[in-house]
Amino acid sequence: MITQVRPPQPVRIGALAPLTRPGWVEAGRHLLAGLELAVGEVNDAGGIGGRPLELLVRDTAADPQRAAAAVDELAQLGVAAVAGEYHSVVARAAAARADALGLPFLCSSAVLDALTEEPTEWVARLSPPQSHGWRVYADFLLDAGHSRIAVATEPSVYWASGVRILRDHLAPRGGTVVELDARALAPAAVCDALVDHRATALLLLVGFPEPAVSIVRSVRRDQRLAETMMGAPAGQPEFAEWATLLGGDGTAIPFLRYLPGRLGPLGARVATALRERLAEAPSFVAFEGYDTITVLAEVLRTHGTDRARIAASWPHVAVEGTRGQIRFSRTPGISVWQWARTPVQVVDRDPAEPGRLRIRHAG
């Protein structure tokens, strides 16, 4: 009698990403590329104690309710943890549901400070909190001589939080922030408001591609605003679609990205592999995806697949990621376990070479 050997059961990880509109599809594609690359490498190295690592991917489409439902489904399917997500308001819904279910969630890329209403042991995050990154951006504005700042904004918890951070950080240093409602003002009216308020910088706290693309084109073509700097702290210019749609108009618009000034050996190797997988330069979001799986794989190898043990392991993580050593700690005002040393840069696309990113400031 021949005994049939069953293959080992996979260790399943749920993965959340915006893969269809109105989600930021390009960000979702880069996030998923990083997640999948790391899973492949883990499995090539023997998996988790001989068991393959398997991703169960769910498209959030930037919809908080869809994300919460996906977390419910993934929990029922027996995943050891949930990972990913790019949009902050979506990640917040996923984190709340994961916390309620007792399901570990390692958030890859969302920055909203209040990821959960109350402190939780179940959620950890790789991306820096918005309050840190956007204060770095505010310092860049002041260093560049901008104290009269206008923001074109749309209704969103994320955008409102960003405005508050900028205003609180700039006001004691003599800076002012005026809000322009991008829903009520056509792009030409935004230009008129910039002139009326004598703003020297306009920050785009709006959706992409619209109305961001139309506002950029309008400002670029308004001779009154030739000296006005535009910025996009949320990172819209990071992705190739921005350069494709705007060409030269999309250069010299500084944004935040979460990479060190120079990648180490691991980061450089992963950058090459990601470029091959994506057929373009990888964004910082792709590195966030890779690091997410790197952390979870080490936790699973060391602490097993029990959900409570995974959540209890966050303060003990010490993993070499593509952007530095990853450790989680409790940060004042942040309700989740936080990687406190995420690198932060302000960069823009070089007008002389739009495919090249220039580092303008580091924090």
Side-chain angles (χ1 to χ4, degrees), residues 11 57 128 144 213 228 290 304:
V11 178
V57 180
V213 169
T228 301
Y290 184 95

mmCIF file of all heavy atoms in Angstrom, residues 11 57 128 144 213 228 290 304:
data_model
loop_
_atom_site.group_PDB
_atom_site.id
_atom_site.type_symbol
_atom_site.label_atom_id
_atom_site.label_comp_id
_atom_site.label_asym_id
_atom_site.label_seq_id
_atom_site.Cartn_x
_atom_site.Cartn_y
_atom_site.Cartn_z
ATOM 1 N N VAL A 11 0.744 28.646 5.243
ATOM 2 C CA VAL A 11 0.464 29.695 6.222
ATOM 3 C C VAL A 11 -0.103 30.877 5.443
ATOM 4 O O VAL A 11 0.564 31.422 4.562
ATOM 5 C CB VAL A 11 1.741 30.118 6.978
ATOM 6 C CG1 VAL A 11 1.422 31.250 7.951
ATOM 7 C CG2 VAL A 11 2.351 28.928 7.694
ATOM 8 N N VAL A 57 -5.219 37.867 -1.488
ATOM 9 C CA VAL A 57 -5.282 39.286 -1.828
ATOM 10 C C VAL A 57 -6.737 39.731 -1.976
ATOM 11 O O VAL A 57 -7.537 39.058 -2.647
ATOM 12 C CB VAL A 57 -4.517 39.571 -3.139
ATOM 13 C CG1 VAL A 57 -4.584 41.050 -3.496
ATOM 14 C CG2 VAL A 57 -3.064 39.105 -3.010
ATOM 15 N N PRO A 128 5.494 56.082 8.577
ATOM 16 C CA PRO A 128 5.534 57.029 9.691
ATOM 17 C C PRO A 128 4.161 57.668 9.913
ATOM 18 O O PRO A 128 3.367 57.784 8.980
ATOM 19 C CB PRO A 128 6.542 58.077 9.212
ATOM 20 C CG PRO A 128 6.449 58.028 7.720
ATOM 21 C CD PRO A 128 6.189 56.594 7.387
ATOM 22 N N ALA A 144 12.559 76.763 2.718
ATOM 23 C CA ALA A 144 12.552 77.260 1.335
ATOM 24 C C ALA A 144 11.988 78.673 1.228
ATOM 25 O O ALA A 144 11.857 79.202 0.117
ATOM 26 C CB ALA A 144 11.739 76.310 0.460
ATOM 27 N N VAL A 213 -4.564 67.067 -11.465
ATOM 28 C CA VAL A 213 -3.952 67.341 -12.766
ATOM 29 C C VAL A 213 -4.448 68.672 -13.331
ATOM 30 O O VAL A 213 -3.654 69.489 -13.830
ATOM 31 C CB VAL A 213 -4.234 66.179 -13.739
ATOM 32 C CG1 VAL A 213 -3.853 66.565 -15.164
ATOM 33 C CG2 VAL A 213 -3.463 64.928 -13.309
ATOM 34 N N THR A 228 5.146 80.767 -7.973
ATOM 35 C CA THR A 228 4.447 79.994 -6.939
ATOM 36 C C THR A 228 4.896 78.541 -6.960
ATOM 37 O O THR A 228 4.889 77.895 -8.009
ATOM 38 C CB THR A 228 2.917 80.063 -7.160
ATOM 39 O OG1 THR A 228 2.500 81.428 -7.121
ATOM 40 C CG2 THR A 228 2.176 79.280 -6.078
ATOM 41 N N TYR A 290 7.368 44.952 0.597
ATOM 42 C CA TYR A 290 8.403 43.930 0.823
ATOM 43 C C TYR A 290 8.741 43.831 2.303
ATOM 44 O O TYR A 290 8.822 42.733 2.868
ATOM 45 C CB TYR A 290 9.645 44.277 0.008
ATOM 46 C CG TYR A 290 10.730 43.228 0.092
ATOM 47 C CD1 TYR A 290 10.832 42.236 -0.868
ATOM 48 C CD2 TYR A 290 11.643 43.228 1.149
ATOM 49 C CE1 TYR A 290 11.825 41.257 -0.791
ATOM 50 C CE2 TYR A 290 12.627 42.250 1.236
ATOM 51 C CZ TYR A 290 12.712 41.277 0.266
ATOM 52 O OH TYR A 290 13.686 40.313 0.356
ATOM 53 N N GLY A 304 5.422 31.475 15.748
ATOM 54 C CA GLY A 304 4.350 30.605 15.306
ATOM 55 C C GLY A 304 3.183 31.358 14.710
ATOM 56 O O GLY A 304 3.228 32.579 14.531
#
